[in-house]
């Protein structure tokens, strides 16, 4: 399905076990920061920021929207923790940036070089989100998509 | 990539296909990836790949 996503919209994909939210990147630059290095991620206006969480419900959706807001509107950096960091399993949201995002529930630590793969709940495995002018093309998703104001 | 939630699912940052850039306006040097590079310091698009 193709959905319209304006720059003041957030689209929320509600599954039974997982939730995904996405907004337009608006061509802004974002920072990817690790312990020893910082990388600037350049985007096209139509690119998407996609956030995924293992969970459903109002709290999860608020968390996803908050994450997207912090990244796009406040310019918060994307933090990459060192492998094995104790905080890793406690984090609730994962994020992908770019033209295309593939969701997978079979990602193993450090085993996928592709940078367009995002971990998600099992039911969302295989879902693909592609940026298109004015919106997003979503393939492999049978659930509901809700559009909300992103502000 | 998994980032905010994701040290576990992202390889080493050093393995990403990045380029070194230098800003022609302010001289800022930075590492970046993606289309339409822009200096994160002065926001200029007059950047070039550093040799």
């Amino acid at each position: 399905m193709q959905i319209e996503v304006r720059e003041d919209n957030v689209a929320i994909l509600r599954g039974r076990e997982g939730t995904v939210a996405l907004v337009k990147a608006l061509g802004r630059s974002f920072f990817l920061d690790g312990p020893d290095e910082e990388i600037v991620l350049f985007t096209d206006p139509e690119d998407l920021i996609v956030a995924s969480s293992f969970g459903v419900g109002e709290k999860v959706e608020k968390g996803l929207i908050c994450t997207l807001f912090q990244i796009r509107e406040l310019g918060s950096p994307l933090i990459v923790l060192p492998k094995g960091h104790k905080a890793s399993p406690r984090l609730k949201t994962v994020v992908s940036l770019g033209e295309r995002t593939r969701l997978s529930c079979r990602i193993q630590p450090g085993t996928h070089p592709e940078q367009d793969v995002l971990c998600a709940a099992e039911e969302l495995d295989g879902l693909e989100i592609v940026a298109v002018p004015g919106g997003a093309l979503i393939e492999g998703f049978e659930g509901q998509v809700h559009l909300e104001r992103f502000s | 990539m998994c980032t905010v939630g994701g040290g576990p699912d992202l390889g080493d940052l050093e393995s990403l296909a990045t380029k070194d850039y230098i800003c022609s306006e302010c001289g800022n040097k930075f590492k970046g990836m993606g289309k339409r590079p822009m200096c994160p310091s002065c926001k200029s698009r007059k950047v070039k790949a550093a040799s």
Side-chain angles (χ1 to χ4, degrees):
Chain A
M1 74 179 86
Q2 186 164 327
I3 61 171
E4 180 184 10
V5 184
R6 297 194 308 259
E7 62 181 67
D8 61 346
N9 280 153
V10 54
I12 300 172
L13 283 59
R14 292 173 174 159
R16 294 184 308 278
E17 302 167 354
T19 308
V20 173
L22 57 98
V23 294
K24 285 290 183 181
L26 306 184
R28 295 178 183 169
S29 296
F30 303 91
F31 292 100
L32 184 61
D33 285 280
D36 305 312
E37 193 165 23
E38 179 175 78
I39 295 168
V40 187
L41 301 172
F42 313 114
T43 67
D44 268 349
E46 296 293 349
D47 283 351
L48 296 166
I49 311 172
V50 181
S52 168
S53 184
F54 291 83
V56 296
E58 187 180 352
K59 281 186 179 179
V60 168
E61 292 182 13
K62 281 183 177 178
L64 288 169
I65 292 170
C66 178
T67 296
L68 293 171
F69 193 88
Q70 285 200 55
I71 293 169
R72 195 183 83 174
E73 301 300 322
L74 302 183
S76 295
L78 302 168
I79 305 296
V80 180
L81 297 174
K83 281 188 169 47
H85 195 285
K86 287 182 179 177
S88 290
R90 304 189 197 286
L91 298 173
K92 307 301 181 188
T93 306
V94 291
V95 174
S96 177
L97 264 166
E99 182 181 0
R100 177 185 301 266
T101 295
R102 291 180 292 126
L103 300 184
S104 173
C105 68
R106 286 171 285 191
I107 297 173
Q108 294 297 315
T111 61
H112 68 104
E114 307 94 338
Q115 297 307 310
D116 59 349
V117 179
L118 189 63
C119 37
E122 186 173 356
E123 65 165 318
L124 301 178
D125 185 55
L127 193 156
E128 191 162 331
I129 301 170
V130 182
V132 296
L137 185 63
I138 300 169
E139 297 178 341
F141 181 65
E142 303 295 331
Q144 292 179 310
V145 178
H146 295 262
L147 277 181
E148 293 187 10
R149 186 171 172 79
F150 186 68
S151 59
Chain B
M1 66 185 74
C2 290
T3 49
V4 170
D9 292 318
L10 185 67
D12 294 333
L13 282 182
E14 292 78 10
S15 67
L16 297 179
T18 61
K19 284 184 182 176
D20 291 318
Y21 291 95
I22 183 166
C23 176
S24 301
E25 295 281 350
C26 70
N28 182 35
K29 294 178 180 177
F30 56 97
K31 198 177 287 288
M33 62 184 295
K35 296 163 280 187
R36 304 175 75 236
M38 179 177 72
C39 174
S41 179
C42 71
K43 310 301 181 191
S44 171
R45 292 206 181 274
K46 293 181 180 176
V47 300
K48 57 186 179 183
S51 54

